[in-house]
Amino acid sequence: MPALLYVQTSGIDTPERLYSPFILAQTAKAMGIDAIIYFLGMGITVVKKGNAEKIKMGQFPGLKEVMDQAVKAGVKLMVCEQSCQLISLAKGDFVPEAEIVGAATLNDLVLEADGTMWF
């Protein structure tokens, strides 16, 4: 199965950059493409418990609803463990669907993906 990797480096301070990875990954799953969103740097704030509920832009549903739809479609969410250390967030601070992984995982995912997009 083809695979796409979406890397979210933007955090909740730039809400206009947060929807695209979830929408695109959910669309990829509907097209029969494996999709993973990897959260890196300030991007990890997106999947911190309670943060997605605070984001709503324009006529779009709230970010939490979009995130839930993507997860329901089978999109995997991965959080960089070193980024957690960088901004002092603990493993328990994230939504349950987010898997904490090491930095080497991103390198492996990039090498295995058929395409990578960064936000």
Side-chain angles (χ1 to χ4, degrees):
M1 174 187 307
L4 290 174
L5 173 64
Y6 303 90
V7 181
Q8 179 69 57
T9 62
S10 300
I12 58 170
D13 59 330
T14 54
E16 67 280 359
R17 297 184 55 88
L18 306 182
Y19 281 83
S20 296
F22 293 105
I23 300 288
L24 291 168
Q26 183 177 353
T27 302
K29 290 300 288 183
M31 297 170 64
I33 300 169
D34 192 29
I36 296 172
I37 305 174
Y38 188 97
F39 299 88
L40 177 68
M42 291 309 293
I44 71 172
T45 62
V46 177
V47 288
K48 182 178 184 262
K49 289 178 186 172
N51 277 353
E53 290 86 346
K54 300 174 187 174
I55 309 292
K56 182 168 182 354
M57 301 231 18
Q59 299 302 312
F60 269 91
L63 185 63
K64 176 67 169 139
E65 182 180 341
V66 173
M67 182 188 317
D68 289 345
Q69 290 170 348
V71 168
K72 185 177 179 182
V75 175
K76 295 178 194 124
L77 309 179
M78 297 186 175
V79 175
C80 173
E81 183 175 20
Q82 286 72 20
S83 294
C84 295
Q85 295 168 1
L86 184 69
I87 61 173
S88 299
L89 290 176
K91 290 182 180 184
D93 290 338
F94 299 97
V95 297
E97 301 84 4
E99 177 185 0
I100 310 298
V101 296
T105 301
L106 179 57
N107 292 333
D108 290 337
L109 292 170
V110 169
L111 290 172
E112 295 167 4
D114 294 298
T116 304
M117 294 181 228
W118 294 65
F119 298 90

